[in-house]
Amino acid sequence: METILRSPAREVRIGPARPFVVIGERINPTNCARLAVEMAAGDFSRVRAEAIAQVQAGARVLDVNAGIPLADEPAILAEAIRVIQEAVDVPLCIDSSVVKALEAGLAAYRGKPLVNSVTGESDRLESVLPLVKRHGAAVIGVANDEGGISEDPQVRFAVAQKIARAEAFGIPREDVLIDPLAMPIGAIASAGVSLFALVRRLREELGVNTVCGASNVSFGLPDRVMLNGAFLTMAIGAGMTCAITNPLEESLRKLILAADVMMGHDENCASWLAAQRPAGDGAREERLARRERRRAQQGV
Amino acid sequence: METILRSPAREVRIGPARPFVVIGERINPTNCARLAVEMAAGDFSRVRAEAIAQVQAGARVLDVNAGIPLADEPAILAEAIRVIQEAVDVPLCIDSSVVKALEAGLAAYRGKPLVNSVTGESDRLESVLPLVKRHGAAVIGVANDEGGISEDPQVRFAVAQKIARAEAFGIPREDVLIDPLAMPIGAIASAGVSLFALVRRLREELGVNTVCGASNVSFGLPDRVMLNGAFLTMAIGAGMTCAITNPLEESLRKLILAADVMMGHDENCASWLAAQRPAGDGAREERLARRERRRAQQGV
């Protein structure tokens, strides 16, 4: 089953027989105070620069979040989407827990985006899914509900089943991605094994594509990049099809490409071989990115 | 099912609920001309230094090979084993395709070693397995036979089944490890996926532990360490329990430890946390290794 996302001129397919899709995580003011201040003040130069840098580094979809306390999130999210769609031609993942913001983002977006996210809570399903349907979008369903996040993979699977009933709202099964939720492994030693089993089961029993944020698993531990890399690689082995992560993290990027090779998803190892070449192929993108970074620094 | 190996004072358990076991690959003159010349001349200083360095780097078992053209392999293998057992206290994996050499190695060894290897060829089974039984050793069965190495995982599984009948020779199932054979992925794109499936099936249907050489998979491709790292990590996710690999390769070492964390096999992440500490804890081993290296250089 393949999820198809679209920007004005590009199509990205997410599926079990395709290379793993990296969804760039860096346009997110909830993790970056400087970005929050700038976006709230209407300065989107860093948003633009991050969009270009992430696409250049191999992100095939970009997550866009505008969660800034006391700010007008719907307006800022819509503007960020307009700015990003001017700068890069990749599908976006519209990220908010505020329905009004999702609404504004969807209205501003050109193409078929991914909505991040809906939970299994009934009121969320009923407020978000009609919106997703109306805009012909795809949606990430997060495997928690009124009962919170369960440590029991059975419960999380049941929540995923509930979300997959989005079909009742007219959304085809291939447009529902499930986030099985990676718990911090420093606190819950079974977090990895139960996630890998869930990914496999979601694929085999529900046929859905799976996605997750790749860094929560290493929360509180040292050398998080290596832990996230092992986690993602093993999740790909279990059948995970995409993740929201940092494409600028070189070793993570390499490991994901290597995992694609191991899955037989990199024909003639073409992407692996291309990734060995020193920059230069990406010289134009690099120049553009540098210019954007300069602009961002100068506040142009 | 757990395979137990023993050196004079130490026991290593290999099994699906245990941390992954690295079998150090570096005492092997077939990959190192200088080592071949030295070993043939009766100089085992480098063998000793490699043994110490690998154990210090986390190898819990050491492979020992003495395959040198025109040399007296049985005598050299036996002497190498004596030298290594004087220097380090870990179980050894006695590696030869020559039955007489295995015999000499087993006679020299103190403890319960691993024999590397037997194939599914009838004459090999009949010459190697009685030897393994007589010495109470464990054995690696490689999934190829008279028909060569099949690209078909079904055939390789059938060969593994044949080898697992070592029980007929009085060798308990837990003392048979199967090497499902990693083919070069640059030539065979399905090599990874079919190996992961085989590892899972060997565990579920035969209950045996699995092992492989971790570097053949990346043959002919650039940045082999990263490919081998992704491969091993995914194989661990599929249930592989040990591999013959290079413990001195830092990023590989880290990935294997991270994979143990993800499998829930590193209680309280203790090994992961210990690996973050700068040397110093291993100061004594480091001093010994340095002395051995100096001796090796001076030909003492």
Side-chain angles (χ1 to χ4, degrees), chain B residues 76-163:
Chain B
I76 298 175
L77 185 58
E79 182 59 18
I81 288 169
R82 276 187 288 267
V83 166
I84 296 167
Q85 289 208 298
E86 266 168 36
V88 293
D89 187 25
V90 300
L92 301 184
C93 176
I94 303 176
D95 181 0
S96 178
S97 53
V98 175
V99 177
K100 287 247 167 285
L102 291 179
E103 211 161 354
L106 282 162
Y109 185 82
R110 294 173 292 135
K112 180 183 173 191
L114 185 57
V115 168
N116 182 10
S117 57
V118 70
T119 66
E121 297 159 287
S122 302
D123 63 329
R124 300 295 299 176
L125 290 168
E126 277 158 33
S127 57
V128 174
L129 294 185
L131 205 55
V132 170
K133 164 66 186 160
R134 193 156 66 243
H135 289 272
V139 64
I140 296 176
V142 183
N144 67 287
D145 64 3
E146 288 83 355
I149 302 177
S150 172
E151 279 191 34
D152 181 350
Q154 301 288 351
V155 173
R156 281 190 273 157
F157 183 79
V159 175
Q161 275 180 310
K162 189 161 74 176
I163 299 170

Side-chain angles (χ1 to χ4, degrees), chain A residues 10 70 79 101 103 126 150 158 190 195 198 219 221 269 277:
Chain A
R10 224 185 276 184
L70 305 177
E79 183 58 17
E103 210 161 355
E126 278 158 33
S150 173
S190 62
L195 184 123
L198 256 174
F219 181 80
L221 292 172
C269 304
R277 281 183 222 124

